[in-house]
Amino acid sequence: MFHHPLPPDAELRILEVRHAEELYELCDANRQRLAPYLPWIDSTWSQADTREFIEQGLQQFASGQGFHCGIWRQDQIAGSVGMHKIDWLNHSVAIGYWIAKEFEGRGLVTRAAAALTNHCLRDLGLHRVEIRCATTNVASQRVAERLGFRREGTLRGAQKVRDGWLDMVVFSKLAAE
Ligand SMILES: CC(C)(COP(=O)(O)OP(=O)(O)OC[C@H]1O[C@@H](n2cnc3c(N)ncnc32)[C@H](O)[C@@H]1OP(=O)(O)O)[C@@H](O)C(=O)NCCC(=O)NCCS
């Protein structure tokens, strides 16, 4: 299905049911570092949960509301980047991402999120792409900044995670930028 090269050594592939086992293993191995920022990890306890997530993503894709990709590096799954449901009324979408510990800090997420943002703004014709990061998540904010997203402001107590509520910095990029 859909795949997008991330030269020189990685690629994005749309997540399919056959990827459930390796994706779940990666999520499980990174549980402790994902939990502070990604609430879905606390409802992901088996391959079946991951398969359900992938199936929902494929339905989302089939209905034209965006999709979720795995990030593969040299044929090993390293993380994920994806779209929340597209708001077609406003031609707007929010994207999210994560990467496993052993692949962190190599610019993989920056390249993956750049490819997805370009796809949204150029190929899908969206007007606005948004990234929300916790105020404490400096690495994620750096990704948004490196992609040329503009910092708009902070939503207080906007995301519930295991240890409480996160203040979220909103970044956006418009098609004209
Ligand atoms: C946020 C995350 C996706 C970044 O992945 P990554 O592989 O480090 O991303 P990149 O290598 O493309 O870029 C990271 C940038 O953040 C910087 N960075 C990394 N860790 C940092 C830290 N602890 N403090 C400050 N900056 C940091 C890097 O230096 C780099 O910026 P630079 O190029 O200006 O130096 C990764 O840390 C992650 O998966 N975290 C857990 C899940 C998560 O937070 N997802 C995002 C939710 S909004």
Side-chain angles (χ1 to χ4, degrees):
M1 227 197 261
F2 170 90
H3 72 104
H4 182 97
L6 297 177
D9 56 1
E11 72 174 340
L12 297 181
R13 298 177 193 159
I14 200 159
L15 285 168
E16 298 174 47
V17 170
R18 66 194 168 97
H19 303 133
E21 181 178 353
E22 53 182 333
L23 182 61
Y24 175 72
E25 297 301 329
L26 197 72
C27 293
D28 196 40
N30 285 271
R31 188 172 292 284
Q32 293 311 320
R33 48 186 294 280
L34 299 182
Y37 298 120
L38 299 173
W40 52 261
I41 194 69
D42 282 336
S43 48
T44 304
W45 295 107
S46 67
Q47 279 182 40
D49 292 333
T50 299
R51 191 178 317 114
E52 193 179 327
F53 161 73
I54 292 172
E55 283 169 352
Q56 285 170 357
L58 290 170
Q59 283 168 16
Q60 179 186 342
F61 181 48
S63 59
Q65 296 181 94
F67 55 85
H68 300 268
C69 288
I71 304 168
W72 267 266
R73 185 172 174 275
Q74 293 174 346
D75 271 340
Q76 206 182 342
I77 191 163
S80 176
V81 61
M83 298 153 75
H84 294 259
K85 283 189 177 165
I86 296 173
D87 171 1
W88 279 112
L89 208 56
N90 297 302
H91 284 227
S92 173
V93 73
I95 64 167
Y97 39 73
W98 65 272
I99 194 93
K101 179 74 186 158
E102 61 266 41
F103 297 99
E104 203 173 29
R106 303 181 191 188
L108 260 183
V109 171
T110 299
R111 283 189 277 149
L116 192 64
T117 300
N118 286 340
H119 180 71
C120 291
L121 296 177
R122 294 182 192 163
D123 304 335
L124 298 182
L126 295 178
H127 174 67
R128 172 186 163 95
V129 177
E130 187 176 300
I131 295 175
R132 294 186 179 194
C133 319
T135 49
T136 48
N137 196 346
V138 181
S140 185
Q141 292 176 42
R142 286 294 302 135
V143 171
E145 286 166 353
R146 278 175 74 170
L147 298 181
F149 279 62
R150 188 178 299 183
R151 181 183 294 255
E152 295 184 327
T154 302
L155 302 174
R156 296 176 305 144
Q159 185 162 59
K160 189 173 187 309
V161 288
R162 189 187 287 181
D163 297 327
W165 299 90
L166 297 175
D167 293 342
M168 303 297 288
V169 184
V170 180
F171 291 87
S172 73
K173 189 166 193 174
L174 302 183
E177 290 170 348

